[in-house]
Amino acid sequence: MSSGYRNGQVSHWLAGTGPTRTSWAPGTGPREVDVAIVGGGLTGLWAAYYLQEHRPSLSVAVLEAEHVGYGASGRNGGWASHLIPGNRARYARGPRGAAGARDFQRAMFDGIDELLAVCAREGIDADQTRGGNLVLATTPAAAGRLTARRDGDLRFGLTEDQVHWLDGAQARARVNAEHVTGGLYYPAVARIHPGKLVTGLAAVVERRGVTIFERSRVQAVGPGGVRLATGDLKAGHVLVCTEGYGIPLLGRRSMIPVNSSMIVTHPLSERDWDDIGWGAAECLSDAAHTFVYAQRTADGRIAIGGRGAPYRFQSGTGGDGVTPAATVRQLVGRLDRYFPRAGVEVAHAWSGVLGVTRDWCARVSYDRGTRVGTSGGYAGHGVTATNVGARTLVDLTLGRDTALTRLPWVGYRSPRWEPEPLRWLGVHGMYELFRIADAREEKRSLAKTSLIARVGSRLAGLHE
Ligand SMILES: Cc1cc2nc3c(=O)[nH]c(=O)nc-3n(C[C@H](O)[C@H](O)[C@H](O)COP(=O)(O)OP(=O)(O)OC[C@H]3O[C@@H](n4cnc5c(N)ncnc54)[C@H](O)[C@@H]3O)c2cc1C
């Protein structure tokens, strides 16, 4: 592992960028708008896009505390996935039952199509490629989990064409990783470059007349507008799109910022790629409890992430994302395990936070009384979900009754997180249980998921 890698600085995807737009102040911006959007990540920008699409006459301002893409939207692994942001079994317990969860699943597949269609229509080049998602099993217990996952997928509305079981040879024909005994393949999933998507979308909404203010931190939201250090901006509607980076606005016990860390390698040689394969830009993950997620970038690197250091006491976000050397070593270790012959050199490491509710279920809500709405809690599955969530939030804001506004995450309420230090102990305890479970399953070649992991899943509310 090279020691001269960049560390933090938001991410490889946005390296060298920073604020370029003016801050909001009574003299530099409007004193009143129809809609104020707090947060310049994908949720906020998609919301601005669809507001303009439906009502071009509305005045819309995006207020971003740092710069466009500073949050998870500019730091993520670049998977536009079909995964429901939350526990589908819990959504199925809502008033619409399993049909509601299945509609939600369909909306997520439609969300990938919609994301790709907007990029094509608006000329956003985000290295988007629909290469699917390959989930690898490297132990008998992991293979068992994938079989159960596929059964659940089919129960919750996926078709046989949307999820394929691959045996070891078929999986390795796609990506020649060591120790692989089987896998699942989801062809609909797309790889994107997160930095290009979020900055491209910002440019599109600006062309359509939305004003984006950077270095404009909102201190309070309420009926009728938002408060910044520089003054008050009146607004007919306020949409809070801050996810894991805006916990103080949403309440410290409604959501916590869970950390995820990534590394990107220098470009690999043609020889390495010939050996590894991975020719279709598949989004790659594994079925370990402490899973990793990866993509082959358009310029021939591997970007891989995982949840090395999961949570900071008192919901810290970790600022620009400086990542501990031990976490970088863990991620390099996973790459070495899968691709031991490749010459992997780390170019950049960074971290970011995602918003997680107590039961890992996301929600979209809009209060007609206060005219304040929000979408978030995507728990690490936000690239597609921000699009679906923002379209839903816009429909609610404009009073449109649509299939989206009837999905089970609309108005969904999760339990509150415990106060500190229980929160810190709980999250760290859960990840420790998962780490121990992975080690036992691997060492003993367990045929079934270890009891330790099953206890961890139940405590966390992750089991279906
Ligand atoms: C390392 C990592 C890897 C991930 N990988 C994937 C993946 O591969 N696929 C996937 O689907 N999901 C992934 N996710 C999750 C996904 O990136 C997020 O769910 C999604 O980007 C959330 O978008 P958002 O716009 O809601 O929030 P964010 O992108 O976090 O944006 C929130 C914005 O609000 C701003 N803000 C906060 N407070 C204020 C305030 N008071 N005033 C003004 N502005 C404020 C922040 O500065 C920030 O820019 C990953 C996340 C991380 C961290």
Side-chain angles (χ1 to χ4, degrees):
M1 182 176 97
S2 68
S3 55
Y5 56 86
R6 293 172 82 152
N7 197 344
Q9 304 168 30
V10 181
S11 73
H12 164 71
W13 316 117
L14 287 178
T17 63
T20 53
R21 299 167 174 92
T22 54
S23 308
W24 183 87
T28 55
R31 285 176 176 272
E32 186 166 356
V33 288
D34 293 317
V35 187
I37 296 175
V38 189
L42 286 174
T43 303
L45 295 170
W46 286 124
Y49 180 80
Y50 291 106
L51 281 167
Q52 286 297 315
E53 184 92 340
H54 293 300
R55 298 267 172 87
S57 60
L58 289 179
S59 56
V60 180
V62 175
L63 301 151
E64 164 54 48
E66 302 288 340
H67 57 80
V68 162
Y70 177 82
S73 300
R75 308 187 191 210
N76 63 66
W79 292 33
S81 101
H82 66 286
L83 287 169
I84 286 183
N87 185 329
R88 50 196 177 181
R90 280 183 193 264
Y91 292 124
R93 278 182 230 138
R96 296 198 48 227
R102 281 196 287 269
D103 285 351
F104 196 0
Q105 184 60 80
R106 254 191 304 279
M108 290 300 295
F109 279 105
D110 292 347
I112 305 174
D113 296 345
E114 172 67 11
L115 183 157
L116 295 175
V118 174
C119 287
R121 195 161 67 229
E122 305 290 353
I124 301 173
D125 176 4
D127 298 344
Q128 61 272 28
T129 304
R130 206 196 278 269
N133 166 212
L134 179 61
V135 193
L136 302 174
T138 58
T139 61
R145 279 196 294 282
L146 289 188
T147 309
R149 185 194 294 190
R150 185 168 180 278
D151 292 344
D153 287 342
L154 297 175
R155 221 172 38 247
F156 282 107
L158 272 75
T159 63
E160 303 264 349
D161 290 341
Q162 289 170 323
V163 49
H164 302 261
W165 169 256
L166 306 182
D167 63 25
Q170 289 167 324
R172 283 192 304 275
R174 286 196 164 274
V175 180
N176 188 19
E178 297 283 312
H179 311 291
V180 173
T181 57
L184 288 183
Y185 179 63
Y186 299 89
V189 174
R191 185 272 323 262
I192 54 112
H193 180 300
K196 292 184 184 178
L197 178 62
V198 72
T199 55
L201 187 58
V204 169
V205 300
E206 284 180 315
R207 275 206 306 273
R208 288 176 163 230
V210 171
T211 317
I212 302 176
F213 296 96
E214 295 185 322
R215 286 168 299 160
S216 302
R217 182 172 294 280
V218 168
Q219 296 176 335
V221 300
V226 299
R227 168 154 300 166
L228 294 90
T230 44
D232 289 353
L233 170 64
K234 284 191 195 160
H237 310 264
V238 178
L239 305 183
V240 183
C241 304
T242 52
E243 241 240 336
Y245 283 85
I247 306 287
L249 283 184
L250 297 163
R252 284 193 190 278
R253 291 178 60 190
S254 66
M255 209 188 282
I256 61 166
V258 168
N259 187 72
S260 199
S261 299
M262 294 201 70
I263 55 170
V264 70
T265 67
H266 287 289
L268 270 62
S269 68
E270 280 307 316
R271 223 167 97 196
D272 282 339
W273 283 121
D274 285 346
D275 184 35
I276 293 172
W278 204 346
E282 293 90 343
C283 294
L284 192 70
S285 59
D286 62 21
H289 302 292
T290 52
F291 64 90
V292 287
Y293 50 90
Q295 68 153 278
R296 174 179 175 164
T297 66
D299 63 350
R301 305 162 188 264
I302 299 176
I304 182 169
R307 301 200 183 150
Y311 173 70
R312 293 178 187 85
F313 193 67
Q314 295 284 20
S315 295
T317 60
D320 284 355
V322 173
T323 302
T327 304
V328 177
R329 275 197 301 276
Q330 275 170 22
L331 290 169
V332 171
R334 294 290 272 268
L335 271 184
D336 283 346
R337 182 161 188 270
Y338 284 132
F339 309 118
R341 291 177 298 282
V344 165
E345 286 283 309
V346 179
H348 196 152
W350 69 94
S351 298
V353 296
L354 30 115
V356 176
T357 62
R358 181 63 181 85
D359 60 1
W360 296 72
C361 285
R363 49 95 185 84
V364 186
S365 65
Y366 178 80
D367 183 321
R368 285 191 195 166
T370 60
R371 297 180 164 202
V372 176
T374 187
S375 175
Y378 311 115
H381 306 304
V383 172
T384 311
T386 50
N387 178 281
V388 181
R391 276 189 283 138
T392 309
L393 188 54
V394 166
D395 284 350
L396 292 168
T397 305
L398 299 180
R400 288 154 48 93
D401 179 16
T402 64
L404 287 174
T405 62
R406 290 191 287 275
L407 293 179
W409 66 336
V410 174
Y412 181 87
R413 288 178 108 84
S414 299
R416 276 150 61 83
W417 278 98
E418 291 78 0
E420 296 288 21
L422 292 178
R423 215 155 62 211
W424 187 92
L425 288 169
V427 179
H428 280 262
M430 179 188 85
Y431 276 93
E432 190 54 21
L433 290 181
F434 285 157
R435 203 188 51 73
I436 295 169
D438 278 332
R440 283 168 74 103
E441 286 177 11
E442 201 179 306
K443 198 164 161 203
R444 302 186 186 178
S445 223
L446 296 182
K448 281 193 176 161
T449 290
S450 121
L451 179 64
I452 294 173
R454 279 184 274 148
V455 170
S457 289
R458 286 216 164 253
L459 288 177
L462 287 167
H463 65 289
E464 277 192 345

